[in-house]
C-alpha cells in the first residue's frame, strides 16, 4: 500500500484558538508539510484545487513546482485538478512543464470540482459541468499522447493539427479520476482504463463503496483486465496515539471546533459526536492497532491500494501533528505495506508503451451523453 499526504490549503481560523494565519504563513506551512512528508517516508504529496472560500489552492501547478524544487523523491499529486473549469490546452502546458521540472514525479487526480462560487467564476453550469469535464479530459489526454491534435470541441475553440509545447516528459502522465458522489466520473475512469480515487471523507462508507463497485463493473464492461484496477481512498482525519484514550482526548477539541464551524454555516453534521465520527467515518483516530484494523475494514469494501492522509495539522499542535505522522509511519504504515498490495504499476515515471498509446478497448469514445446527465448535480464530497 502507498500513502499520500494531501492538503486542500484551507484558509480559515484554527478550529481551537480561532486565529487565522496570514496567507503567506499558510503557504509556508504547506511547504513545511511537504518537506515533512518526504522526511517521514510518504509516497506522495498532493495539493487540491479550489477557486472559492475558504481555500487558497487556486494554483496547484505553482505550489507543486515549489514543492518539486524543495524535494527529491516524493511523488507529486493534484487533488483534484478541476478540468471542468479549465482550458485543457492551458492545463496541459502547466502540467507538462511541472512534470519536466520534477523529473517525472507528477500524477494528476482530475475531477469536476464542486461549489457554486467557482462555477460562477468560470461560467460553468450544473447542466454542462459533466460534459465539460469529459471533453476537457479527452482533449488533455490527446495532447499528452499526440504531437499534433485535431479535436472538435463545444467548450473551447476547436483544434486542427495543433501543436502544444512543451512535449511531455512522462509518456503519458498517469491520471486518476476523483470520485465522490456521481457515476459520471467513475464511468469516465473505467472507459479509459484509468485509476480511481474515492474522496471517502464526508459520508459513511456505503455510498463510496457503491461507486467503487460500479467502477469495477464498468471497467469490465469496457473490456479491461480486472487485475489492472487501481483504487485510492481518502480519510477524514488522522490522530495516531499510544492508546485510544489518548487519541480521543487529543482530537476532541479539534472535532468540537470543526463541528461548531459547520453549524455556523448552517450545515447539519453527518457525525454529531466524536465517538460517532471515529466509528462511522473514515477518520483514523486511535491506537496503531485500531487504525490498522480500520484500514483493513475499508480495504475489504474498496480493495484500495493507495490511502491519503491529511498533510495539515488542522487544529492539532505542531508537535502533536508530527508525533501522529511519525507514529503512523513507524507503527502503522509498515504493517499495511506488508498486508495490502501496492497498485498494479510502478511507482515512478511513466514510460511510453504500446498499450499506453492505444485507444480504450471499447473503441472510439462516444460524445458526452448530456441528455442523461442530471440537471442538478450534488456537490462532490
Amino acid at each position: 500500500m502507498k500513502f499520500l499526504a494531501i492538503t486542500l490549503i484551507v484558509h480559515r481560523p484554527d478550529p481551537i484558538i480561532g486565529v487565522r494565519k496570514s496567507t503567506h504563513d499558510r503557504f509556508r506551512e504547506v511547504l513545511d508539510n511537504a518537506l515533512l512528508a518526504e522526511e517521514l517516508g510518504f509516497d506522495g504529496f498532493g495539493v487540491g484545487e479550489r477557486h472559492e472560500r475558504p481555500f487558497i489552492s487556486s494554483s496547484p501547478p505553482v505550489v507543486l513546482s515549489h514543492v518539486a524544487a524543495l524535494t527529491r523523491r516524493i511523488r507529486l499529486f493534484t487533488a483534484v485538478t478541476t478540468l471542468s473549469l479549465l482550458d485543457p490546452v492551458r492545463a496541459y502546458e502547466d502540467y507538462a512543464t511541472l512534470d519536466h521540472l520534477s523529473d517525472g514525479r507528477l500524477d494528476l487526480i482530475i475531477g469536476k470540482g464542486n461549489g457554486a462560487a467557482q462555477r460562477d467564476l468560470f461560467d460553468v453550469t450544473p447542466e454542462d459541468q459533466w460534459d465539460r469535464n469529459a471533453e476537457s479530459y479527452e482533449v488533455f489526454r490527446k495532447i499528452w499522447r499526440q504531437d499534433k491534435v485535431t479535436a472538435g470541441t463545444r467548450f473551447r475553440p476547436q483544434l486542427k493539427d495543433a501543436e502544444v509545447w512543451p512535449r511531455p516528459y512522462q509518456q503519458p502522465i498517469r491520471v486518476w479520476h476523483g470520485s465522490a458522489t456521481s457515476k459520471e466520473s467513475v464511468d469516465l475512469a473505467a472507459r479509459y482504463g484509468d485509476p480511481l480515487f474515492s474522496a471517502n471523507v464526508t459520508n459513511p462508507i456505503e455510498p463510496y463503496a457503491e461507486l467503487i463497485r460500479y467502477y469495477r463493473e464498468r471497467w469490465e464492461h469496457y473490456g479491461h483486465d480486472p487485475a489492472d484496477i487501481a483504487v485510492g481512498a481518502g480519510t477524514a482525519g488522522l490522530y495516531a496515539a499510544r492508546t485510544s484514550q489518548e487519541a480521543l482526548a487529543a482530537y476532541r477539541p479539534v472535532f468540537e471546533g470543526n463541528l461548531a464551524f459547520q453549524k455556523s454555516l448552517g450545515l447539519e453534521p453527518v457525525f454529531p459526536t466524536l465517538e460517532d465520527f471515529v466509528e462511522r467515518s473514515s477518520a483514523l483516530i486511535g491506537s496503531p492497532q485500531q487504525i490498522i484494523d480500520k484500514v483493513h475494514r475499508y480495504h475489504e469494501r474498496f480493495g484500495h491500494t493507495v490511502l491519503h492522509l491529511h498533510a495539515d495539522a488542522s487544529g492539532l499542535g505542531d508537535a502533536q501533528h508530527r508525533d501522529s505522522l511519525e507514529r503512523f509511519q513507524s507503527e502503522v504504515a509498515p504493517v499495511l505495506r506488508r498486508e495490502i498490495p501496492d497498485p498494479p504499476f510502478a511507482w515512478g515515471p511513466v514510460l511510453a508503451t504500446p498499450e499506453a498509446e492505444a485507444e480504450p478497448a471499447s473503441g472510439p469514445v462516444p460524445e458526452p451523453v448530456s441528455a442523461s446527465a442530471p440537471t442538478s448535480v450534488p456537490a462532490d464530497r
Side-chain angles (χ1 to χ4, degrees), residues 285-303:
I285 299 167
S287 68
Q289 189 59 53
Q290 287 174 313
I291 291 173
I292 290 167
D293 292 344
K294 190 168 191 178
V295 173
H296 272 292
R297 291 200 302 274
Y298 272 75
H299 179 71
E300 288 174 4
R301 300 288 298 275
F302 292 173

Side-chain angles (χ1 to χ4, degrees), residues 28-142:
R28 295 305 311 178
E29 184 177 51
V30 170
L31 299 178
D32 290 342
N33 286 335
L35 288 169
L36 177 62
E38 178 160 90
E39 174 192 339
L40 296 181
F42 278 86
D43 302 291
F45 183 83
V47 173
E49 180 179 339
R50 300 290 188 276
H51 299 270
E52 59 186 337
R53 293 181 182 179
F55 307 97
I56 53 173
S57 52
S58 58
S59 188
V62 176
V63 177
L64 287 171
S65 289
H66 199 140
V67 172
L70 296 174
T71 58
R72 292 293 177 267
R73 177 197 56 79
I74 199 166
R75 287 196 69 78
L76 310 174
F77 281 73
T78 62
V80 299
T81 295
T82 53
L83 276 184
S84 66
L85 309 179
L86 304 178
D87 182 324
V89 175
R90 190 71 184 94
Y92 166 83
E93 291 171 336
D94 284 341
Y95 285 114
T97 301
L98 169 55
D99 197 40
H100 278 281
L101 295 175
S102 67
D103 294 327
R105 287 190 283 144
L106 180 64
D107 276 44
L108 295 186
I109 306 176
I110 68 158
K112 172 187 67 64
N114 60 10
Q118 64 181 13
R119 283 201 305 267
D120 293 344
L121 190 65
F122 289 90
D123 194 28
V124 173
T125 69
E127 292 76 23
D128 69 20
Q129 59 189 345
W130 287 110
D131 288 352
R132 286 178 179 271
N133 186 64
E135 178 183 288
S136 290
Y137 175 60
E138 288 159 8
V139 173
F140 183 93
R141 190 176 190 279
K142 281 185 177 181

Side-chain angles (χ1 to χ4, degrees), residues 314-373:
S314 304
L316 294 168
D318 290 342
Q320 288 178 312
H321 179 53
R322 184 182 181 103
D323 287 348
S324 175
L325 292 178
E326 287 180 343
R327 190 179 299 275
F328 181 90
Q329 285 289 25
S330 64
E331 300 182 42
V332 176
V335 177
L336 295 176
R337 290 186 194 277
R338 288 196 305 270
E339 297 178 350
I340 296 177
D342 285 344
F345 44 71
W347 196 258
V350 180
L351 304 177
T353 64
E355 291 79 9
E357 300 296 329
E359 284 300 309
S362 57
V365 177
E367 289 296 315
V369 286
S370 56
S372 64

